[in-house]
Amino acid sequence: MAIEQTQTLPAPVLEAALTAYTKKLPPLMGQPIDTTKYDPQVADRTQLQKDAYTAAGGLGSLVGPDAYKSFMSPYQREVMDTTLAEYDRQQTIGQTGLRDSAIQAGAYGGGREGVQQAQYMNQGAMGRAQLQAQLLNQGFTQANQLAQQDMMTRQGLGTYMDQMGQAQQGYEQAKLDAGTLAAREAEYEPYTRLGLIGQQLAQIQPGAFPTTTIGYQQSAAPASPMASWLGGGAGMGGVLGKLGIFG
């Protein structure tokens, strides 16, 4: 009995694509993905950030009881010395005036003149001390203000440098991220490409390309010698009958 088998084949162009696609899959299935090629990276601090950090460490000298000393200018000392020298000169003039008055009054060298001189000297010393304290306080206040202004200026500059450094660091980080992404895409490119091709092949509807139908018919098995003999028995029986063997 003949057996007939029908097989529907895709169009040659589609069959070639499917064959080429399936040949690409086995090598990728056993190939590990090298994740070290796209490890995340962090951009290093910029020089501006490093300089701002170093400068921040030097702000300690601008606070505390001795912060003003670096801002006491030589000019302030000269003004103080000149002012005190002028005060001393005026004191000497005043003391000379007291002596001259005592001489004119005939009381020079007396107890009253001595008391006046002592009072004048004491008042002069107190006045000089007050003047010196005032000058020192003015110098300290001015130097302290300058120290505070300098600290605020440095802080502002440090903040600006840090902000600029952060912006530069962000730009460098963006470049590193882009490189990491590109390396990752390159590593996944074969899988991505085959995935896209597989999606396109899977979406092709039956009938989109012409197909070919082939019929197969199985040949009958060759007859055995006994079957061949039996098949010819009718003719043989007729011959034997005529010979009177079967009556």
Side-chain angles (χ1 to χ4, degrees):
M1 179 179 180
I3 299 176
E4 184 175 343
Q5 178 181 0
T6 302
Q7 181 179 3
T8 301
L9 301 177
V13 62
L14 183 58
E15 183 178 9
L18 290 172
T19 302
Y21 177 78
T22 54
K23 287 183 179 180
K24 293 289 186 180
L25 291 177
L28 290 180
M29 293 170 62
Q31 178 179 341
I33 298 175
D34 187 2
T35 59
T36 61
K37 292 183 178 180
Y38 54 89
D39 282 342
Q41 301 183 52
V42 178
D44 192 12
R45 293 188 306 163
T46 63
Q47 190 61 45
L48 284 173
Q49 289 174 300
K50 295 177 181 178
D51 292 343
Y53 180 82
T54 302
L59 294 179
S61 62
L62 300 179
V63 294
D66 296 329
Y68 74 96
K69 291 183 177 180
S70 299
F71 297 89
M72 291 289 292
S73 67
Y75 174 75
Q76 290 174 321
R77 174 57 60 183
E78 291 177 2
V79 170
M80 186 181 301
D81 293 341
T82 301
T83 302
L84 291 177
E86 179 61 22
Y87 182 87
D88 292 338
R89 190 178 73 82
Q90 294 297 329
Q91 280 292 104
T92 301
I93 293 175
Q95 186 176 7
T96 300
L98 286 176
R99 184 189 63 185
D100 292 343
S101 297
I103 292 174
Q104 292 176 1
Y108 180 74
R112 183 179 178 183
E113 190 266 339
V115 171
Q116 289 179 344
Q117 287 286 349
Q119 290 179 345
Y120 182 80
M121 293 295 294
N122 289 336
Q123 292 175 355
M126 291 179 60
R128 191 180 193 280
Q130 291 177 352
L131 177 61
Q132 185 177 14
Q134 182 180 357
L135 293 173
L136 288 173
N137 184 63
Q138 290 177 352
F140 169 77
T141 301
Q142 183 178 4
N144 194 42
Q145 290 175 348
L146 291 174
Q148 293 178 356
Q149 291 176 2
D150 186 59
M151 183 175 65
M152 293 177 64
T153 300
R154 294 191 188 187
Q155 287 177 337
L157 179 60
T159 301
Y160 175 74
M161 291 172 60
D162 187 61
Q163 290 175 348
M164 294 295 294
Q166 288 180 3
Q168 181 65 28
Q169 186 185 33
Y171 174 70
E172 296 297 331
Q173 184 64 54
K175 292 198 299 184
L176 289 176
D177 292 344
T180 300
L181 181 60
R184 183 180 183 278
E185 291 297 323
E187 189 67 14
Y188 275 87
E189 190 278 333
Y191 304 91
T192 303
R193 174 162 41 87
L194 288 181
L196 293 175
I197 294 174
Q199 292 176 5
Q200 297 301 318
L201 292 176
Q203 292 176 4
I204 296 177
Q205 299 296 327
F209 292 93
T211 59
T212 302
T213 302
I214 301 177
Y216 297 92
Q217 184 173 4
Q218 185 173 352
S219 302
S224 64
M226 179 61 70
S228 300
W229 184 83
L230 292 175
M236 184 62 67
V239 175
L240 293 177
K242 291 180 178 179
L243 294 177
I245 296 177
F246 293 104

